[in-house]
């Protein structure tokens, strides 16, 4: 299981691993109780965590940047309880991620992020750098294989080209002479619409 497989489902609390997508929904597994279920796309929406961005006072950042900040400052600021009051939640995020845009990031969203962080930590899914390196390696492997295949293809082409140059040109057999027509012109097939005249044999006059 990897971070890029994790989704949030509207109407359902917690996080889920996307196991299989179907035309009318998806099969997911809860990261909390490990139960597997089918969720209809007609009722619920699926949002991959890796696609979520968070509003800040500057440019938007990916949700992973918030999780990393929470992880790095965990020793100094313990994660707040998702059920804590609004002021406690706001104070926590001001300490771990002060760049939050407080006007556009609601407290309910902050509580949700705290809960998600706790779930990801329990499932050992806070290894973003390792996963990024694995993804890059997976994408680079096919490219390297294609590059290795190129010299082999060129060598094969050169070998075939050399073989073609060395091979002597095949001599075409001389065309056979057409046999002389045995039949006279009179025996030729009549033109269309003409009747073939019967042969006439001249009789030699007998000597009187």
């Amino acid at each position: 299981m990897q971070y890029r497989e994790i989704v949030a489902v509207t109407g359902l609390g917690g996080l889920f691993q996307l196991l299989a997508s179907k035309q009318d929904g998806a099969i997911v597994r809860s990261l909390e109780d490990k139960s597997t279920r089918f969720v209809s796309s007609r009722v619920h929406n699926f949002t991959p965590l890796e696609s979520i961005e968070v509003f800040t006072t500057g440019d938007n950042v990916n949700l992973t940047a918030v999780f990393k900040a929470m992880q790095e400052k965990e020793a100094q600021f313990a994660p707040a309880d998702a059920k804590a009051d609004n002021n406690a939640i706001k104070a926590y995020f001001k300490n771990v991620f002060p760049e939050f845009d407080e006007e556009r990031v609601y407290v309910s969203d902050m509580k949700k992020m705290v809960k998600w962080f706790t779930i990801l930590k329990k499932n050992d899914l806070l290894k973003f750098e390792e996963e990024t390196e694995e993804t890059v390696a997976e994408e680079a492997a096919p490219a390297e294989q294609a590059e290795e295949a190129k010299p082999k293809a060129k060598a094969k082409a050169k070998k075939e080209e050399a073989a073609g140059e060395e091979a002597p040109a095949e001599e075409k057999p001389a065309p056979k002479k057409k046999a002389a027509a045995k039949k006279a012109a009179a025996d030729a097939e009549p033109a269309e619409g003409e009747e073939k005249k019967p042969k006439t044999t001249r009789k030699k006059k007998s000597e009187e």
Side-chain angles (χ1 to χ4, degrees):
M1 183 168 53
Q2 295 180 330
Y3 179 79
R4 63 174 176 264
E5 299 174 310
I6 309 307
V7 298
V9 182
T10 56
L12 300 178
L15 294 174
F16 300 85
Q17 178 188 9
L18 182 64
L19 299 179
S21 297
K22 294 184 176 293
Q23 188 174 0
D24 56 346
I27 297 175
V28 298
R29 176 183 293 144
S30 170
L31 267 62
E32 294 181 277
D33 59 15
K34 308 303 178 186
S35 61
T36 301
R37 59 187 293 184
F38 171 78
V39 179
S40 173
S41 58
R42 297 178 181 177
V43 182
H44 305 275
N45 293 324
F46 305 86
T47 305
L49 289 195
E50 66 176 1
S51 68
I52 296 177
E53 291 189 344
V54 180
F55 295 116
T56 72
T57 53
D59 295 331
N60 295 349
V61 298
N62 192 276
L63 181 60
T64 56
V66 180
F67 288 149
K68 286 179 183 179
M70 295 169 69
Q71 188 178 25
E72 291 170 358
K73 298 181 180 180
E74 189 174 9
Q76 187 178 359
F77 303 101
D81 187 345
K83 296 180 181 180
D85 62 66
N86 293 356
N87 292 331
I89 294 292
K90 286 181 178 180
Y92 168 73
F93 275 100
K94 283 182 179 179
N95 289 324
V96 297
F97 206 89
E99 296 86 359
F100 265 127
D101 187 338
E102 295 184 15
E103 294 182 358
R104 292 188 291 176
V105 179
Y106 302 110
V107 175
S108 57
D109 296 325
M110 295 180 185
K111 289 183 177 182
K112 192 179 294 183
M113 285 185 275
V114 170
K115 183 176 181 179
W116 288 352
F117 178 84
T118 304
I119 295 173
L120 292 172
K121 184 179 178 181
K122 287 182 179 179
N123 287 271
D124 196 24
L125 290 170
L126 294 172
K127 299 178 180 178
F128 309 112
E129 293 180 0
E130 293 180 9
E131 184 168 333
T132 302
E133 291 174 0
E134 289 178 3
T135 304
V136 171
E138 289 174 1
E139 292 176 352
E144 290 176 359
Q145 292 174 1
E147 289 297 326
E148 290 176 0
K150 285 181 181 178
K152 294 180 181 178
K154 288 181 179 178
K156 185 178 179 182
K158 287 182 179 179
K159 187 176 180 181
E160 291 177 352
E161 185 179 349
E165 291 176 356
E166 292 174 3
E170 294 182 0
E171 294 182 0
K172 294 183 179 179
K176 296 180 180 179
K177 293 182 180 180
K178 294 182 179 179
K182 294 182 179 180
K183 293 185 179 181
D187 295 335
E189 290 294 329
E192 188 175 351
E194 295 183 0
E195 294 182 1
K196 187 175 180 180
K197 296 179 180 181
K199 291 183 180 180
T200 56
T201 306
R202 292 182 180 180
K203 294 182 180 180
K204 293 181 180 181
K205 292 182 180 180
S206 57
E207 294 180 358
E208 291 179 358

